[in-house]
Amino acid sequence: IAALSVELMGFTPLTDLNFHQTLSDVTGTALVLVGAAHCGACKQLKTVLHRYQNTENALPIFEVDAVMNGGIIQALTIFHLPALFLYVDGHYHRQIQCEATLPALQTAIQQALMQAAEEEP
């Protein structure tokens, strides 16, 4: 049942154990959502990301459960959920911060891609 629900969500799960290895195998640009099941803002952003997946040129989306993967939370110095990160060719590019709407998300991704990559926290 868990595999089915992951499939329905449409986001590829990442854990402390496979985070960097999985992302290093990704060619192109990808989004990583860090959130928690009990987080209302995370649920709202996930709804927007599901809509985003149905748009032309949507990026692959990976998801990290913050409650179960404290190593990633520490490594990326995450203090607030949800957190959304952009990776390019498996490398950290920058954090995405925007209003949880489809137009704001699309604009934020485009703007982030035009900026130079940052160091991973």
Side-chain angles (χ1 to χ4, degrees):
I1 295 174
L4 179 60
S5 64
V6 166
E7 210 170 277
L8 292 175
M9 289 182 347
F11 305 148
T12 304
L14 296 174
T15 67
D16 285 344
L17 300 175
N18 71 358
F19 185 84
H20 288 290
Q21 178 60 47
T22 301
L23 289 175
S24 69
D25 293 340
V26 175
T27 302
T29 309
L31 292 170
V32 175
L33 169 67
V34 181
H38 67 274
C39 167
C42 300
K43 291 176 188 175
Q44 185 178 5
L45 182 56
K46 281 177 77 165
T47 300
V48 172
L49 288 169
H50 282 295
R51 280 191 236 130
Y52 170 75
Q53 279 186 311
N54 295 321
T55 64
E56 191 175 337
N57 301 321
L59 303 174
I61 301 172
F62 295 85
E63 182 176 20
V64 175
D65 181 337
V67 175
M68 303 300 291
N69 297 286
I72 294 169
I73 303 307
Q74 238 180 349
L76 294 175
T77 58
I78 297 171
F79 295 107
H80 302 285
L81 297 177
L84 189 62
F85 300 95
L86 190 65
Y87 280 74
V88 177
D89 292 329
H91 300 285
Y92 180 89
H93 190 73
R94 61 181 45 242
Q95 186 169 3
I96 302 284
Q97 294 179 328
C98 65
E99 185 181 348
T101 66
L102 185 56
L105 176 65
Q106 290 171 316
T107 298
I109 292 168
Q110 289 173 347
Q111 289 175 346
L113 287 170
M114 289 189 287
Q115 297 176 339
E118 295 178 344
E119 291 273 329
E120 185 171 278

